[in-house]
């Protein structure tokens, strides 16, 4: 039997070789005008060709230029393309980019070009939930990172399908228990069987189906939290969204430049958000002991919600009389100082990054200086998006204090001043085999943040990072942008990074190798 299977396998491989040979012979014989691009779209895990995948050749200026659909072995050929730089992107239902967030690098198409592409098939993640006695637990709500909506069946089993590549926390939330003795309740449990956020083990999805992810529900001291939301007019607020959470003890990670990232720490939720009733009332049946923030947001017809929050400590008793009062947003004025003397025609300042740490963002108001409406709370002050060539953001002043890269409490109307300087340095270089790779220049981390400057390599692995504040940095090149938001990033930076000093007004050349893959 094994010999027969081997013969069948060998026959398929031979057939594929013949088909590929015929395919490329047809390309050589093609007399289409303009350049052409050809190659294969394959599964990045199995290496098999992917049929019926759409391949589009496009540019940011022109949009789609040409397209084609792959054949049974994943081969494609697109002709009639004018000479130039293009993006060549594959897609197919049920498949995802293996490196989400990173587009294919541009390629030069002149004459006959060859470009192979990879996709990763959406994976399934399966497992089972048991109660504290080891019996199957039905009707348990499951969440895998941002994916939810799955509920365990009568056997306690669950399955997430077509999950995109990434690293996720798996959690199981049972129905609230009406009768619980001494405050001990079955609570939301994280894989493998943890109650504390820091004890959860992430599940890494890389295109292959996964199974055996079992969770045994745990008990913990938990109590109910009930209360009412009061609107700005003093009346109960129906249909407000109420959340109970606390910020995860993680640093904010931001990268500024031609390639930018803002990674906000995840919130640790004590329970799923609830909506207030017609009487403005809300209830969380089980919240574990600890310090939590209870926050209410009420949507508004004009697009600006009302928001309010209070801090609570859950310990040894239920809370039945919590009151949250909604408040109007506070106004924050943001101005820019371009130096002395300022430019004759000051360029518009890039948008300042004010990211909610536990507050609720409002909306910007038109005008100059910028006027932003936010709600009282704690916010991270970062670079934001947008660059002004020749300048770098040196500080953000809140009164007499520089708060760039810090978490600050905003409780009333205030102003922030963005201080710009022009003595920045620059770093350029080449990454070996680095076409499309990411390069970051990370400053020393602080208790609140990791700040850096980034660029993306061109088709030859070249990169340029301009307008960098003088100082000490660690330089790192890597192929997958998800590395930056990985829990392992600090250790990867130490193990693979290159220490580098940026001098004021100087341009430096440096050659790099890609970070070693884990």
């Amino acid at each position: 039997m094994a010999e027969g299977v081997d013969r069948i396998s060998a026959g398929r491989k031979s057939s594929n070789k013949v088909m590929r040979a015929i395919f490329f012979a047809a390309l050589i014989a093609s007399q289409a005008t303009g350049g052409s691009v050809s190659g294969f779209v394959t599964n990045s895990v199995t290496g098999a060709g992917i049929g019926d995948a759409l391949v589009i050749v496009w540019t940011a200026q022109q949009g789609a230029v040409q397209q084609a659909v792959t054949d049974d072995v994943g081969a494609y050929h697109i002709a009639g393309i004018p000479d130039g730089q293009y993006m060549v992107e594959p897609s197919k239902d049920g498949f995802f980019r293996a490196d989400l967030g990173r587009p294919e690098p541009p390629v030069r198409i002149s004459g006959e070009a060859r470009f192979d592409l990879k996709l990763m098939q959406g994976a399934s993640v399966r497992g089972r939930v048991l109660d504290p006695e080891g019996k199957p637990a039905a009707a348990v709500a499951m969440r895998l990172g941002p994916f939810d909506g799955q509920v365990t069946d009568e056997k306690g089993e669950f399955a997430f399908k077509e999950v995109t590549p990434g690293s996720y926390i798996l959690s199981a939330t049972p129905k609230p228990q009406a009768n619980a003795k001494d405050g001990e309740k079955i609570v939301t449990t994280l894989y493998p069987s943890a109650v504390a956020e820091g004890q959860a083990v992430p599940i890494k999805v890389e295109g292959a189906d996964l199974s055996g992810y079992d969770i045994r529900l745990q008990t913990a001291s938990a109590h109910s939290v009930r209360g009412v939301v009061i609107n700005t007019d003093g009346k109960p607020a129906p249909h407000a969204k109420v959340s109970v959470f606390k910020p995860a003890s993680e640093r904010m990670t931001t990268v500024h430049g031609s390639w930018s990232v803002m990674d906000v720490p995840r919130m640790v939720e004590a329970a799923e958000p609830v909506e207030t009733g017609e009487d403005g009332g809300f209830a969380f049946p089980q919240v574990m002991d600890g310090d939590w923030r209870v926050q209410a947001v009420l949507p508004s017809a004009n697009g600006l919600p009302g928001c309010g929050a209070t801090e609570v400590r859950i310990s040894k008793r239920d809370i039945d009389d919590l009151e949250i009062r909604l408040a109007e947003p506070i106004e924050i004025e943001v101005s820019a100082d371009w130096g002395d003397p300022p430019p004759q025609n000051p360029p518009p300042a890039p948008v300042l990054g004010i990211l909610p740490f536990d507050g609720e963002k409002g909306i910007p108001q038109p005008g100059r200086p910028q006027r932003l409406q936010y709600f009282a709370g704690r916010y991270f002050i970062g670079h934001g998006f947008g660059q002004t060539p020749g300048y770098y953001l040196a500080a953000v002043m809140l009164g007499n204090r520089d708060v760039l890269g810090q978490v600050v409490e905003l409780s009333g109307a205030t102003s922030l001043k963005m201080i710009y300087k022009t003595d920045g340095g620059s770093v350029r270089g080449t990454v070996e085999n680095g076409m499309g790779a990411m390069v970051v220049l990370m400053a020393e981390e602080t208790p609140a943040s990791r700040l850096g400057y980034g660029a993306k390599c061109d088709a030859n692995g070249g990169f340029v990072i301009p307008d960098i504040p003088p100082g000490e940095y660690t330089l790192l090149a890597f192929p997958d942008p998800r590395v930056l938001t990985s829990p392992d990033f600090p250790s990867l930076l130490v193990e693979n990074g290159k220490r580098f000093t940026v001098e004021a007004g100087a341009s430096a050349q440096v050659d790099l190798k890609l970070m070693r893959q884990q």
Side-chain angles (χ1 to χ4, degrees), residues 356-412:
F357 197 74
D358 58 19
E360 182 72 18
K361 185 175 179 179
I363 59 175
Q365 299 297 308
R368 187 172 178 180
Q370 301 173 44
R371 284 183 169 82
L372 312 175
Q373 289 189 325
Y374 281 68
F375 293 95
R378 291 190 300 162
Y379 293 85
F380 174 79
I381 309 299
H383 285 90
F385 292 100
Q387 288 181 286
T388 302
Y391 292 85
Y392 67 87
L393 183 61
V396 176
M397 303 305 294
L398 175 60
N400 296 320
R401 181 164 60 110
D402 179 13
V403 295
L404 180 61
Q406 297 182 25
V407 175
V408 298
E409 182 84 28
L410 300 178
S411 56

Side-chain angles (χ1 to χ4, degrees), residues 1-11:
M1 180 65 179
E3 181 181 354
V5 172
D6 288 343
R7 287 177 179 173
I8 293 173
S9 177

Side-chain angles (χ1 to χ4, degrees), residues 59 77 213 263 285 318 325 368:
T59 69
H77 174 225
Y213 288 94
D263 182 42
D318 295 339
R325 290 190 169 269
R368 187 172 178 180

